[in-house]
Amino acid sequence: MPTTIDARGLACPQPVILAKKAIEENMEVVVMVDNAFAVENIRRMAAKMACLFSMAEQAGETREITLKRDGETGQALPDGAAPAGELFCPASPAKDRGPFVAVLSDNHMGRGDDVLGDILIRGFIHTLLQLSPPPDTIILYNAGVKLAMRDSAVLEDLQQLAQSGVDILVCGTCVNYFGLGDAIAAGHISNMYDIVETMAGAGRLLRP
């Protein structure tokens, strides 16, 4: 049974790098992509590594590429390296390079006066509602998790953001540390792995 890699939505050259690593470790790989640049990059990689290449159009923009090792593969490339030769990577605007992630580590904004910091964080989160497009993800950790409490002044704004499709990750370790297990009313409890993975994959990272 072939290994399946879903590389849709990933910025170039990630689809070809994932495909290369998968076919080095498996005899047959199915790679799902959603742009012509990824198709051409994987086609070139397949030729270099002596792999059989076939492609089928799926619903929407999805292309399903099947790679099969035909005997010995070509020389393995270093980890994280792309195939030799020119890569067809489009010049994309910043919003296409990865998710937009906002990170809030406190329930106040800035250092100095806490009353002012409270006013500023309210204005900041309310302004996130006005952005077009809004963040893909909001991460709350340390004292930032208190923003998601039932009695938080910004709870309604956070709930509206969540309803509009914003993924709100609330650090579970922080919730437990502050004893807020039953008080969180926005977003969902997450873990450090998800938080680090989301931050590492961000195209834009906003920290107030």
Side-chain angles (χ1 to χ4, degrees):
M1 185 173 181
T3 296
T4 299
I5 303 294
D6 189 349
R8 290 173 293 182
L10 297 183
C12 178
Q14 284 302 308
V16 69
I17 290 173
L18 292 175
K20 182 267 298 184
K21 182 175 181 181
I23 198 61
E24 285 178 347
E25 299 173 352
N26 300 276
M27 292 299 297
E28 183 175 354
V29 174
V30 173
V31 187
M32 300 171 67
V33 299
D34 56 6
N35 66 84
F37 300 100
V39 172
E40 290 308 312
N41 288 335
I42 293 173
R43 190 193 306 275
R44 289 160 61 85
M45 180 209 69
K48 179 177 176 61
M49 299 185 69
C51 298
L52 300 177
F53 174 100
S54 63
M55 186 190 72
E57 300 278 351
Q58 302 295 325
E61 298 293 321
T62 298
R63 283 93 155 178
E64 186 176 282
I65 297 170
T66 300
L67 301 173
K68 294 182 181 180
R69 285 165 57 182
D70 183 18
E72 293 296 323
T73 62
Q75 182 177 0
L77 299 172
D79 287 343
E86 182 181 358
L87 280 172
F88 297 94
C89 294
S92 302
K95 67 182 180 61
D96 293 330
R97 295 176 188 163
F100 173 21
V101 178
V103 181
L104 306 178
S105 61
D106 201 346
N107 58 338
H108 297 85
M109 186 173 177
R111 296 180 180 180
D113 188 274
D114 284 347
V115 174
L116 176 59
D118 183 61
I119 294 170
L120 293 176
I121 198 66
R122 295 186 198 190
F124 178 85
I125 292 176
H126 188 71
T127 302
L128 291 179
L129 276 171
Q130 319 306 318
L131 291 184
S132 181
D136 297 285
T137 305
I138 296 175
I139 295 173
L140 305 179
Y141 70 92
N142 208 317
V145 301
K146 297 179 181 180
L147 296 169
M149 293 173 57
R150 285 196 192 90
D151 60 354
S152 167
V154 298
L155 178 62
E156 185 176 344
D157 284 343
L158 288 177
Q159 290 176 334
Q160 286 186 42
L161 285 162
Q163 289 169 7
S164 69
V166 178
D167 190 20
I168 301 177
L169 305 183
V170 183
C171 170
T173 300
C174 308
V175 169
N176 290 336
Y177 180 86
F178 291 115
L180 304 178
D182 297 325
I184 300 302
H188 59 92
I189 303 300
S190 188
N191 56 76
M192 190 54 69
Y193 181 87
D194 287 342
I195 289 172
V196 171
E197 184 177 53
T198 300
M199 292 176 68
R204 290 179 292 164
L205 198 61
L206 178 63
R207 294 172 178 265

